[in-house]
Amino acid sequence: AQKVTQAQTEISVVEKEDVTLDCVYETRDTTYYLFWYKQPPSGELVFLIRRNSFDEQNEISGRYSWNFQKSTSSFNFTITASQVVDSAVYFCALSEVDLNMDTGRRALTFGSGTRLQVQP
Amino acid sequence: KAGVTQTPRYLIKTRGQQVTLSCSPISGHRSVSWYQQTPGQGLQFLFEYFSETQRNKGNFPGRFSGRQFSNSRSEMNVSTLELGDSALYLCASSLELAGGIETQYFGPGTRLLVL
């Protein structure tokens, strides 16, 4: 069965520090997708990035970067020069594609989340 | 383009009552999924609807049900409410054009409190 582990429950940093949020996943499938979502206090999950299992290229978007390593089943997220507005709970999620199933198993399996607090 | 909308945003019910939550997906999105978020269990998948059919279901009791209308809007219903049903219920929509995995975009959620 699929599983996502975010071992860091809470991280506190001071503004402008770099911070890395860890994500380790388990899956038996060769085709899967990984996601990161941000949940601010308002509650809505905001999509940040999606990566499929065949694309191990790292990605950078502004102050955000993602490191995908299939060899260690990890999909880590780094925020460079953190800001107070980055304070939120961040979730890593996995979605598998099972071509043998009619449903395709598109449901997201979420990690437990990492609460990031950026102090001014 | 407007995002996913959910109504109501907040709801207070008592044990034994039933509740219906509504979700309007992003225009053009045909798949709607529902998730429950609680401090103890985290984010858990409830079910997914596509073309008015339930395509996938999580591990929840039969008290939790849903449906999807021809305009892709979806409702979920919880009957005989229990205290443990207090949670944030999140709806997500996705395109699902080619039958693969599309990004799910979430609404603001409905906070349900059961007293």
Side-chain angles (χ1 to χ4, degrees), chain B residues 33-74:
Chain B
S33 297
W34 290 88
Y35 294 83
Q36 181 197 63
Q37 185 178 23
T38 60
Q41 299 298 318
L43 278 155
Q44 293 184 291
F45 171 71
L46 280 157
F47 29 64
E48 182 210 1
Y49 286 86
F50 178 79
S51 291
E52 302 179 61
T53 302
Q54 187 181 87
R55 188 163 66 170
N56 202 355
K57 190 177 189 303
N59 189 25
F60 277 82
R63 299 185 297 105
F64 291 82
S65 63
R67 59 177 176 169
Q68 186 180 35
F69 302 95
S70 58
N71 61 358
S72 294
R73 191 176 70 85
S74 176

mmCIF file of all heavy atoms in Angstrom, chain B residues 33-74:
data_model
loop_
_atom_site.group_PDB
_atom_site.id
_atom_site.type_symbol
_atom_site.label_atom_id
_atom_site.label_comp_id
_atom_site.label_asym_id
_atom_site.label_seq_id
_atom_site.Cartn_x
_atom_site.Cartn_y
_atom_site.Cartn_z
ATOM 1 N N SER B 33 -13.455 15.103 -5.959
ATOM 2 C CA SER B 33 -13.073 14.209 -4.862
ATOM 3 C C SER B 33 -13.356 14.899 -3.539
ATOM 4 O O SER B 33 -13.290 16.119 -3.445
ATOM 5 C CB SER B 33 -11.584 13.855 -4.942
ATOM 6 O OG SER B 33 -11.297 13.156 -6.125
ATOM 7 N N TRP B 34 -13.617 14.098 -2.533
ATOM 8 C CA TRP B 34 -13.867 14.609 -1.189
ATOM 9 C C TRP B 34 -12.852 14.011 -0.220
ATOM 10 O O TRP B 34 -12.526 12.827 -0.293
ATOM 11 C CB TRP B 34 -15.280 14.237 -0.722
ATOM 12 C CG TRP B 34 -16.377 14.965 -1.434
ATOM 13 C CD1 TRP B 34 -17.002 14.603 -2.601
ATOM 14 C CD2 TRP B 34 -16.999 16.184 -1.013
ATOM 15 N NE1 TRP B 34 -17.972 15.525 -2.921
ATOM 16 C CE2 TRP B 34 -17.992 16.501 -1.974
ATOM 17 C CE3 TRP B 34 -16.830 17.044 0.077
ATOM 18 C CZ2 TRP B 34 -18.796 17.642 -1.870
ATOM 19 C CZ3 TRP B 34 -17.627 18.168 0.175
ATOM 20 C CH2 TRP B 34 -18.597 18.458 -0.781
ATOM 21 N N TYR B 35 -12.398 14.854 0.703
ATOM 22 C CA TYR B 35 -11.442 14.431 1.723
ATOM 23 C C TYR B 35 -11.923 14.942 3.085
ATOM 24 O O TYR B 35 -12.525 16.000 3.193
ATOM 25 C CB TYR B 35 -10.049 14.994 1.441
ATOM 26 C CG TYR B 35 -9.411 14.461 0.183
ATOM 27 C CD1 TYR B 35 -9.710 14.998 -1.067
ATOM 28 C CD2 TYR B 35 -8.498 13.406 0.248
ATOM 29 C CE1 TYR B 35 -9.129 14.503 -2.226
ATOM 30 C CE2 TYR B 35 -7.907 12.905 -0.909
ATOM 31 C CZ TYR B 35 -8.234 13.458 -2.132
ATOM 32 O OH TYR B 35 -7.656 12.956 -3.270
ATOM 33 N N GLN B 36 -11.593 14.166 4.100
ATOM 34 C CA GLN B 36 -11.866 14.576 5.468
ATOM 35 C C GLN B 36 -10.546 14.876 6.165
ATOM 36 O O GLN B 36 -9.595 14.103 6.038
ATOM 37 C CB GLN B 36 -12.589 13.451 6.222
ATOM 38 C CG GLN B 36 -12.939 13.799 7.664
ATOM 39 C CD GLN B 36 -13.262 12.566 8.499
ATOM 40 O OE1 GLN B 36 -12.409 11.704 8.709
ATOM 41 N NE2 GLN B 36 -14.492 12.483 8.992
ATOM 42 N N GLN B 37 -10.470 15.982 6.873
ATOM 43 C CA GLN B 37 -9.258 16.321 7.596
ATOM 44 C C GLN B 37 -9.567 16.488 9.074
ATOM 45 O O GLN B 37 -10.398 17.323 9.454
ATOM 46 C CB GLN B 37 -8.620 17.607 7.062
ATOM 47 C CG GLN B 37 -7.281 17.932 7.719
ATOM 48 C CD GLN B 37 -6.622 19.175 7.150
ATOM 49 O OE1 GLN B 37 -7.278 20.048 6.586
ATOM 50 N NE2 GLN B 37 -5.302 19.249 7.270
ATOM 51 N N THR B 38 -8.915 15.684 9.895
ATOM 52 C CA THR B 38 -9.054 15.779 11.354
ATOM 53 C C THR B 38 -7.664 15.829 11.972
ATOM 54 O O THR B 38 -6.692 15.343 11.374
ATOM 55 C CB THR B 38 -9.797 14.568 11.932
ATOM 56 O OG1 THR B 38 -9.057 13.376 11.609
ATOM 57 C CG2 THR B 38 -11.209 14.457 11.397
ATOM 58 N N PRO B 39 -7.540 16.407 13.164
ATOM 59 C CA PRO B 39 -6.212 16.462 13.811
ATOM 60 C C PRO B 39 -5.637 15.068 14.058
ATOM 61 O O PRO B 39 -4.440 14.872 13.952
ATOM 62 C CB PRO B 39 -6.503 17.186 15.123
ATOM 63 C CG PRO B 39 -7.733 17.986 14.857
ATOM 64 C CD PRO B 39 -8.547 17.155 13.908
ATOM 65 N N GLY B 40 -6.477 14.108 14.329
ATOM 66 C CA GLY B 40 -5.986 12.780 14.674
ATOM 67 C C GLY B 40 -5.644 11.918 13.472
ATOM 68 O O GLY B 40 -4.638 11.210 13.472
ATOM 69 N N GLN B 41 -6.461 11.980 12.437
ATOM 70 C CA GLN B 41 -6.284 11.098 11.273
ATOM 71 C C GLN B 41 -5.692 11.801 10.063
ATOM 72 O O GLN B 41 -5.335 11.151 9.082
ATOM 73 C CB GLN B 41 -7.638 10.488 10.878
ATOM 74 C CG GLN B 41 -8.269 9.636 11.967
ATOM 75 C CD GLN B 41 -7.410 8.451 12.320
ATOM 76 O OE1 GLN B 41 -6.842 7.790 11.453
ATOM 77 N NE2 GLN B 41 -7.271 8.171 13.611
ATOM 78 N N GLY B 42 -5.570 13.106 10.132
ATOM 79 C CA GLY B 42 -5.014 13.828 9.001
ATOM 80 C C GLY B 42 -5.999 13.894 7.846
ATOM 81 O O GLY B 42 -7.213 13.881 8.035
ATOM 82 N N LEU B 43 -5.451 13.952 6.638
ATOM 83 C CA LEU B 43 -6.270 14.051 5.426
ATOM 84 C C LEU B 43 -6.550 12.656 4.894
ATOM 85 O O LEU B 43 -5.634 11.911 4.559
ATOM 86 C CB LEU B 43 -5.529 14.855 4.362
ATOM 87 C CG LEU B 43 -5.612 16.365 4.486
ATOM 88 C CD1 LEU B 43 -4.421 17.029 3.832
ATOM 89 C CD2 LEU B 43 -6.903 16.863 3.842
ATOM 90 N N GLN B 44 -7.832 12.325 4.788
ATOM 91 C CA GLN B 44 -8.218 11.004 4.312
ATOM 92 C C GLN B 44 -9.215 11.126 3.168
ATOM 93 O O GLN B 44 -10.140 11.929 3.221
ATOM 94 C CB GLN B 44 -8.842 10.190 5.453
ATOM 95 C CG GLN B 44 -7.862 9.833 6.559
ATOM 96 C CD GLN B 44 -8.513 8.948 7.598
ATOM 97 O OE1 GLN B 44 -9.387 9.380 8.341
ATOM 98 N NE2 GLN B 44 -8.121 7.685 7.624
ATOM 99 N N PHE B 45 -9.027 10.276 2.191
ATOM 100 C CA PHE B 45 -9.872 10.266 0.998
ATOM 101 C C PHE B 45 -11.215 9.633 1.301
ATOM 102 O O PHE B 45 -11.296 8.552 1.883
ATOM 103 C CB PHE B 45 -9.147 9.482 -0.097
ATOM 104 C CG PHE B 45 -9.976 9.191 -1.312
ATOM 105 C CD1 PHE B 45 -10.323 10.203 -2.196
ATOM 106 C CD2 PHE B 45 -10.391 7.893 -1.572
ATOM 107 C CE1 PHE B 45 -11.073 9.924 -3.326
ATOM 108 C CE2 PHE B 45 -11.135 7.603 -2.706
ATOM 109 C CZ PHE B 45 -11.480 8.624 -3.581
ATOM 110 N N LEU B 46 -12.275 10.322 0.911
ATOM 111 C CA LEU B 46 -13.633 9.802 1.092
ATOM 112 C C LEU B 46 -14.127 9.104 -0.174
ATOM 113 O O LEU B 46 -14.411 7.919 -0.159
ATOM 114 C CB LEU B 46 -14.588 10.942 1.456
ATOM 115 C CG LEU B 46 -14.566 11.392 2.913
ATOM 116 C CD1 LEU B 46 -15.091 12.810 3.039
ATOM 117 C CD2 LEU B 46 -15.388 10.441 3.771
ATOM 118 N N PHE B 47 -14.282 9.844 -1.241
ATOM 119 C CA PHE B 47 -14.711 9.276 -2.515
ATOM 120 C C PHE B 47 -14.469 10.256 -3.643
ATOM 121 O O PHE B 47 -14.189 11.429 -3.423
ATOM 122 C CB PHE B 47 -16.197 8.838 -2.508
ATOM 123 C CG PHE B 47 -17.094 9.621 -1.588
ATOM 124 C CD1 PHE B 47 -17.329 10.977 -1.794
ATOM 125 C CD2 PHE B 47 -17.730 9.001 -0.531
ATOM 126 C CE1 PHE B 47 -18.157 11.698 -0.960
ATOM 127 C CE2 PHE B 47 -18.573 9.705 0.315
ATOM 128 C CZ PHE B 47 -18.781 11.059 0.100
ATOM 129 N N GLU B 48 -14.574 9.700 -4.867
ATOM 130 C CA GLU B 48 -14.383 10.493 -6.073
ATOM 131 C C GLU B 48 -15.543 10.243 -7.020
ATOM 132 O O GLU B 48 -15.989 9.099 -7.180
ATOM 133 C CB GLU B 48 -13.078 10.133 -6.782
ATOM 134 C CG GLU B 48 -12.815 10.983 -8.016
ATOM 135 C CD GLU B 48 -12.030 10.253 -9.094
ATOM 136 O OE1 GLU B 48 -11.692 9.072 -8.896
ATOM 137 O OE2 GLU B 48 -11.770 10.869 -10.148
ATOM 138 N N TYR B 49 -15.999 11.288 -7.667
ATOM 139 C CA TYR B 49 -17.057 11.177 -8.656
ATOM 140 C C TYR B 49 -16.580 11.708 -9.998
ATOM 141 O O TYR B 49 -15.836 12.695 -10.065
ATOM 142 C CB TYR B 49 -18.309 11.942 -8.202
ATOM 143 C CG TYR B 49 -19.042 11.229 -7.103
ATOM 144 C CD1 TYR B 49 -18.697 11.413 -5.773
ATOM 145 C CD2 TYR B 49 -20.050 10.316 -7.404
ATOM 146 C CE1 TYR B 49 -19.341 10.721 -4.774
ATOM 147 C CE2 TYR B 49 -20.705 9.623 -6.414
ATOM 148 C CZ TYR B 49 -20.354 9.827 -5.093
ATOM 149 O OH TYR B 49 -20.982 9.134 -4.097
ATOM 150 N N PHE B 50 -17.027 11.013 -11.022
ATOM 151 C CA PHE B 50 -16.684 11.400 -12.396
ATOM 152 C C PHE B 50 -17.869 11.040 -13.268
ATOM 153 O O PHE B 50 -18.354 9.909 -13.229
ATOM 154 C CB PHE B 50 -15.424 10.669 -12.851
ATOM 155 C CG PHE B 50 -15.011 10.965 -14.253
ATOM 156 C CD1 PHE B 50 -14.333 12.134 -14.549
ATOM 157 C CD2 PHE B 50 -15.284 10.080 -15.285
ATOM 158 C CE1 PHE B 50 -13.937 12.423 -15.853
ATOM 159 C CE2 PHE B 50 -14.908 10.362 -16.584
ATOM 160 C CZ PHE B 50 -14.230 11.537 -16.868
ATOM 161 N N SER B 51 -18.342 11.981 -14.037
ATOM 162 C CA SER B 51 -19.519 11.771 -14.893
ATOM 163 C C SER B 51 -20.662 11.153 -14.119
ATOM 164 O O SER B 51 -21.263 10.151 -14.541
ATOM 165 C CB SER B 51 -19.150 10.871 -16.088
ATOM 166 O OG SER B 51 -18.287 11.538 -16.966
ATOM 167 N N GLU B 52 -20.942 11.717 -12.973
ATOM 168 C CA GLU B 52 -22.084 11.341 -12.133
ATOM 169 C C GLU B 52 -21.972 9.948 -11.527
ATOM 170 O O GLU B 52 -22.950 9.430 -10.965
ATOM 171 C CB GLU B 52 -23.394 11.464 -12.923
ATOM 172 C CG GLU B 52 -23.639 12.856 -13.481
ATOM 173 C CD GLU B 52 -24.921 12.952 -14.290
ATOM 174 O OE1 GLU B 52 -26.003 12.714 -13.719
ATOM 175 O OE2 GLU B 52 -24.828 13.255 -15.504
ATOM 176 N N THR B 53 -20.793 9.341 -11.625
ATOM 177 C CA THR B 53 -20.597 7.986 -11.100
ATOM 178 C C THR B 53 -19.493 7.998 -10.057
ATOM 179 O O THR B 53 -18.463 8.658 -10.243
ATOM 180 C CB THR B 53 -20.219 7.012 -12.236
ATOM 181 O OG1 THR B 53 -21.253 7.026 -13.215
ATOM 182 C CG2 THR B 53 -20.024 5.596 -11.693
ATOM 183 N N GLN B 54 -19.714 7.248 -8.995
ATOM 184 C CA GLN B 54 -18.652 7.130 -8.006
ATOM 185 C C GLN B 54 -17.568 6.221 -8.570
ATOM 186 O O GLN B 54 -17.798 5.041 -8.843
ATOM 187 C CB GLN B 54 -19.188 6.536 -6.698
ATOM 188 C CG GLN B 54 -18.154 6.556 -5.572
ATOM 189 C CD GLN B 54 -18.693 5.952 -4.282
ATOM 190 O OE1 GLN B 54 -18.628 4.752 -4.050
ATOM 191 N NE2 GLN B 54 -19.246 6.814 -3.439
ATOM 192 N N ARG B 55 -16.383 6.762 -8.708
ATOM 193 C CA ARG B 55 -15.318 6.022 -9.381
ATOM 194 C C ARG B 55 -14.351 5.389 -8.377
ATOM 195 O O ARG B 55 -13.633 4.451 -8.706
ATOM 196 C CB ARG B 55 -14.577 6.973 -10.317
ATOM 197 C CG ARG B 55 -13.576 6.322 -11.227
ATOM 198 C CD ARG B 55 -13.186 7.218 -12.376
ATOM 199 N NE ARG B 55 -12.461 8.400 -11.972
ATOM 200 C CZ ARG B 55 -11.859 9.218 -12.829
ATOM 201 N NH1 ARG B 55 -11.883 8.950 -14.117
ATOM 202 N NH2 ARG B 55 -11.243 10.306 -12.406
ATOM 203 N N ASN B 56 -14.313 5.923 -7.189
ATOM 204 C CA ASN B 56 -13.358 5.426 -6.207
ATOM 205 C C ASN B 56 -13.895 5.764 -4.822
ATOM 206 O O ASN B 56 -14.592 6.777 -4.651
ATOM 207 C CB ASN B 56 -11.992 6.099 -6.429
ATOM 208 C CG ASN B 56 -10.841 5.306 -5.837
ATOM 209 O OD1 ASN B 56 -11.042 4.305 -5.173
ATOM 210 N ND2 ASN B 56 -9.625 5.768 -6.094
ATOM 211 N N LYS B 57 -13.575 4.929 -3.851
ATOM 212 C CA LYS B 57 -14.121 5.135 -2.519
ATOM 213 C C LYS B 57 -13.075 4.818 -1.474
ATOM 214 O O LYS B 57 -12.346 3.831 -1.610
ATOM 215 C CB LYS B 57 -15.351 4.236 -2.311
ATOM 216 C CG LYS B 57 -16.139 4.524 -1.059
ATOM 217 C CD LYS B 57 -17.368 3.620 -0.981
ATOM 218 C CE LYS B 57 -18.306 4.038 0.150
ATOM 219 N NZ LYS B 57 -17.664 4.050 1.463
ATOM 220 N N GLY B 58 -12.999 5.640 -0.455
ATOM 221 C CA GLY B 58 -12.087 5.394 0.651
ATOM 222 C C GLY B 58 -12.723 4.495 1.690
ATOM 223 O O GLY B 58 -13.813 3.958 1.502
ATOM 224 N N ASN B 59 -12.037 4.353 2.795
ATOM 225 C CA ASN B 59 -12.468 3.438 3.841
ATOM 226 C C ASN B 59 -13.287 4.160 4.903
ATOM 227 O O ASN B 59 -12.825 4.385 6.027
ATOM 228 C CB ASN B 59 -11.240 2.769 4.465
ATOM 229 C CG ASN B 59 -11.624 1.651 5.408
ATOM 230 O OD1 ASN B 59 -12.693 1.066 5.271
ATOM 231 N ND2 ASN B 59 -10.762 1.353 6.355
ATOM 232 N N PHE B 60 -14.493 4.520 4.531
ATOM 233 C CA PHE B 60 -15.400 5.196 5.455
ATOM 234 C C PHE B 60 -16.710 4.418 5.523
ATOM 235 O O PHE B 60 -17.088 3.734 4.567
ATOM 236 C CB PHE B 60 -15.676 6.634 4.975
ATOM 237 C CG PHE B 60 -14.607 7.614 5.377
ATOM 238 C CD1 PHE B 60 -13.443 7.722 4.641
ATOM 239 C CD2 PHE B 60 -14.768 8.414 6.498
ATOM 240 C CE1 PHE B 60 -12.442 8.603 5.020
ATOM 241 C CE2 PHE B 60 -13.787 9.308 6.879
ATOM 242 C CZ PHE B 60 -12.614 9.401 6.140
ATOM 243 N N PRO B 61 -17.431 4.536 6.645
ATOM 244 C CA PRO B 61 -18.702 3.795 6.763
ATOM 245 C C PRO B 61 -19.750 4.316 5.795
ATOM 246 O O PRO B 61 -19.634 5.401 5.243
ATOM 247 C CB PRO B 61 -19.115 4.052 8.224
ATOM 248 C CG PRO B 61 -18.371 5.261 8.641
ATOM 249 C CD PRO B 61 -17.088 5.264 7.874
ATOM 250 N N GLY B 62 -20.790 3.510 5.629
ATOM 251 C CA GLY B 62 -21.849 3.828 4.686
ATOM 252 C C GLY B 62 -22.619 5.090 5.026
ATOM 253 O O GLY B 62 -23.397 5.584 4.202
ATOM 254 N N ARG B 63 -22.415 5.626 6.231
ATOM 255 C CA ARG B 63 -23.093 6.879 6.596
ATOM 256 C C ARG B 63 -22.618 8.041 5.713
ATOM 257 O O ARG B 63 -23.286 9.061 5.602
ATOM 258 C CB ARG B 63 -22.793 7.237 8.061
ATOM 259 C CG ARG B 63 -23.261 6.225 9.076
ATOM 260 C CD ARG B 63 -23.044 6.716 10.491
ATOM 261 N NE ARG B 63 -21.652 6.937 10.835
ATOM 262 C CZ ARG B 63 -21.093 8.143 10.942
ATOM 263 N NH1 ARG B 63 -21.809 9.236 10.770
ATOM 264 N NH2 ARG B 63 -19.813 8.253 11.280
ATOM 265 N N PHE B 64 -21.477 7.851 5.126
ATOM 266 C CA PHE B 64 -20.912 8.869 4.237
ATOM 267 C C PHE B 64 -21.281 8.511 2.793
ATOM 268 O O PHE B 64 -20.961 7.404 2.324
ATOM 269 C CB PHE B 64 -19.395 8.931 4.378
ATOM 270 C CG PHE B 64 -18.923 9.466 5.693
ATOM 271 C CD1 PHE B 64 -18.860 8.634 6.807
ATOM 272 C CD2 PHE B 64 -18.561 10.791 5.830
ATOM 273 C CE1 PHE B 64 -18.446 9.119 8.038
ATOM 274 C CE2 PHE B 64 -18.127 11.292 7.051
ATOM 275 C CZ PHE B 64 -18.076 10.448 8.155
ATOM 276 N N SER B 65 -21.940 9.403 2.138
ATOM 277 C CA SER B 65 -22.327 9.148 0.760
ATOM 278 C C SER B 65 -22.201 10.434 -0.039
ATOM 279 O O SER B 65 -22.047 11.523 0.528
ATOM 280 C CB SER B 65 -23.761 8.618 0.685
ATOM 281 O OG SER B 65 -24.674 9.596 1.167
ATOM 282 N N GLY B 66 -22.285 10.295 -1.333
ATOM 283 C CA GLY B 66 -22.183 11.484 -2.170
ATOM 284 C C GLY B 66 -22.884 11.279 -3.488
ATOM 285 O O GLY B 66 -23.407 10.188 -3.770
ATOM 286 N N ARG B 67 -22.890 12.316 -4.257
ATOM 287 C CA ARG B 67 -23.409 12.213 -5.611
ATOM 288 C C ARG B 67 -22.859 13.365 -6.434
ATOM 289 O O ARG B 67 -22.366 14.358 -5.889
ATOM 290 C CB ARG B 67 -24.937 12.229 -5.626
ATOM 291 C CG ARG B 67 -25.589 13.455 -5.015
ATOM 292 C CD ARG B 67 -27.092 13.367 -5.161
ATOM 293 N NE ARG B 67 -27.771 14.487 -4.498
ATOM 294 C CZ ARG B 67 -29.066 14.755 -4.671
ATOM 295 N NH1 ARG B 67 -29.810 14.002 -5.461
ATOM 296 N NH2 ARG B 67 -29.618 15.775 -4.032
ATOM 297 N N GLN B 68 -22.972 13.202 -7.739
ATOM 298 C CA GLN B 68 -22.520 14.250 -8.646
ATOM 299 C C GLN B 68 -23.616 14.498 -9.658
ATOM 300 O O GLN B 68 -24.255 13.558 -10.151
ATOM 301 C CB GLN B 68 -21.217 13.846 -9.355
ATOM 302 C CG GLN B 68 -20.631 14.964 -10.205
ATOM 303 C CD GLN B 68 -19.346 14.545 -10.900
ATOM 304 O OE1 GLN B 68 -19.188 13.395 -11.301
ATOM 305 N NE2 GLN B 68 -18.421 15.482 -11.047
ATOM 306 N N PHE B 69 -23.812 15.741 -9.973
ATOM 307 C CA PHE B 69 -24.859 16.120 -10.912
ATOM 308 C C PHE B 69 -24.275 16.290 -12.321
ATOM 309 O O PHE B 69 -23.050 16.279 -12.509
ATOM 310 C CB PHE B 69 -25.521 17.415 -10.437
ATOM 311 C CG PHE B 69 -26.110 17.292 -9.060
ATOM 312 C CD1 PHE B 69 -25.386 17.687 -7.938
ATOM 313 C CD2 PHE B 69 -27.373 16.751 -8.871
ATOM 314 C CE1 PHE B 69 -25.912 17.558 -6.659
ATOM 315 C CE2 PHE B 69 -27.902 16.618 -7.601
ATOM 316 C CZ PHE B 69 -27.169 17.022 -6.486
ATOM 317 N N SER B 70 -25.151 16.466 -13.274
ATOM 318 C CA SER B 70 -24.711 16.542 -14.675
ATOM 319 C C SER B 70 -23.823 17.758 -14.942
ATOM 320 O O SER B 70 -23.038 17.767 -15.880
ATOM 321 C CB SER B 70 -25.924 16.559 -15.611
ATOM 322 O OG SER B 70 -26.772 17.656 -15.298
ATOM 323 N N ASN B 71 -23.913 18.767 -14.097
ATOM 324 C CA ASN B 71 -23.046 19.945 -14.280
ATOM 325 C C ASN B 71 -21.745 19.805 -13.480
ATOM 326 O O ASN B 71 -21.020 20.773 -13.305
ATOM 327 C CB ASN B 71 -23.781 21.218 -13.864
ATOM 328 C CG ASN B 71 -24.194 21.201 -12.396
ATOM 329 O OD1 ASN B 71 -23.969 20.213 -11.696
ATOM 330 N ND2 ASN B 71 -24.811 22.275 -11.941
ATOM 331 N N SER B 72 -21.465 18.604 -12.994
ATOM 332 C CA SER B 72 -20.265 18.238 -12.229
ATOM 333 C C SER B 72 -20.288 18.699 -10.780
ATOM 334 O O SER B 72 -19.398 18.311 -10.020
ATOM 335 C CB SER B 72 -18.964 18.737 -12.899
ATOM 336 O OG SER B 72 -18.761 18.074 -14.110
ATOM 337 N N ARG B 73 -21.263 19.488 -10.399
ATOM 338 C CA ARG B 73 -21.384 19.849 -8.983
ATOM 339 C C ARG B 73 -21.604 18.591 -8.167
ATOM 340 O O ARG B 73 -22.198 17.613 -8.646
ATOM 341 C CB ARG B 73 -22.541 20.820 -8.788
ATOM 342 C CG ARG B 73 -22.603 21.460 -7.414
ATOM 343 C CD ARG B 73 -23.734 22.481 -7.339
ATOM 344 N NE ARG B 73 -25.046 21.851 -7.366
ATOM 345 C CZ ARG B 73 -25.672 21.362 -6.299
ATOM 346 N NH1 ARG B 73 -25.092 21.414 -5.109
ATOM 347 N NH2 ARG B 73 -26.868 20.814 -6.421
ATOM 348 N N SER B 74 -21.110 18.612 -6.941
ATOM 349 C CA SER B 74 -21.199 17.404 -6.118
ATOM 350 C C SER B 74 -21.712 17.754 -4.723
ATOM 351 O O SER B 74 -21.528 18.878 -4.239
ATOM 352 C CB SER B 74 -19.831 16.728 -6.021
ATOM 353 O OG SER B 74 -19.866 15.601 -5.161
#
